[in-house]
Amino acid sequence: MLDRALNTAAVGALFGRDDGAPAGWAISAAPVGYLKAVAAMEARVAAIAEGRAGELVWLLEHPALYTAGVSARPADLLDPDRLPVFASGRGGQFTYHGPGQRVAYVMLDLTRRRKDVRAFVAALEAWVIGALGHFNVDGQIREGRVGVWVERRPAGLTPREDKIAAIGVKLRRWISFHGVSLNVEPDLGHFSGIVPCGVTEHGVTSLVDLGLPVTLDEADAALLVSFRQIFGPATPADPPA
């Protein structure tokens, strides 16, 4: 069942910037609407590509909503009237965002790192796996299933795999945007309104669902430590306007 563990040191060596410059690290305290966030990302990505702004990782929460990636199938929206639905330019299919889930929008210049999409996605997975390790959660990856998974072995029941983090990115002129979402303490019931990421045979979990009373602030701290190990330095920054 377990495919492989990532060598985070090796991945990190591949994804530090060639000049060692830090990425900005911004956290929005209040929920941010989806369309507002996308507009801010679009503007920042253009500014990075034109040399007018530096890289940025933007951590936030969204109000409860669904997004449909470029591969989303209409039939996978099981309850279209439950929550607002937004088309998204990221890769992937349907996913849920909402309070208690940490969304990290990652705007990095791969021309200064490595122009390799598969390796970049692997680095994002390694980043999340490293953060989960701070809470003694064994995050895993699976061939053919992007994202981070945990294997659960409840007493007397069949072992199962649940997804704890989703990944969906887009590149424009080798600048990344969109990113990852880590389930800290979201309302997992909303995932029943979709087929999450098009996967029907596995479930969804969160840190709190695993019995770990982790706060968003604690998750953010773990994500920052792991980011520095995988991608290099990061420094506090303001969220994009």
Side-chain angles (χ1 to χ4, degrees), residues 31-53:
V32 180
Y34 187 73
L35 295 180
K36 179 179 179 180
V38 170
M41 275 195 292
E42 294 270 0
R44 184 63 176 237
V45 165
I48 294 170
E50 294 165 7
R52 297 184 287 106

Side-chain angles (χ1 to χ4, degrees), residues 67-85:
T67 64
V70 296
S71 301
R73 297 183 294 261
D76 286 347
L77 181 59
L78 305 178
D79 189 353
D81 298 323
R82 177 185 289 215
L83 296 173
V85 181

Side-chain angles (χ1 to χ4, degrees), residues 180-211:
V180 308
S181 57
L182 172 63
N183 294 331
V184 180
E185 191 180 7
D187 181 350
L188 296 178
H190 285 312
F191 283 97
S192 66
I194 56 174
V195 178
C197 301
V199 178
T200 58
E201 62 269 31
H202 301 288
V204 180
T205 191
S206 68
L207 287 167
V208 170
D209 184 53
L210 293 173

Side-chain angles (χ1 to χ4, degrees), residues 53-74:
E55 297 178 320
L56 184 69
V57 179
W58 182 19
L59 276 61
L60 54 83
E61 290 177 281
H62 284 307
L65 56 88
Y66 297 128
T67 64
V70 296
S71 301
R73 297 183 294 261

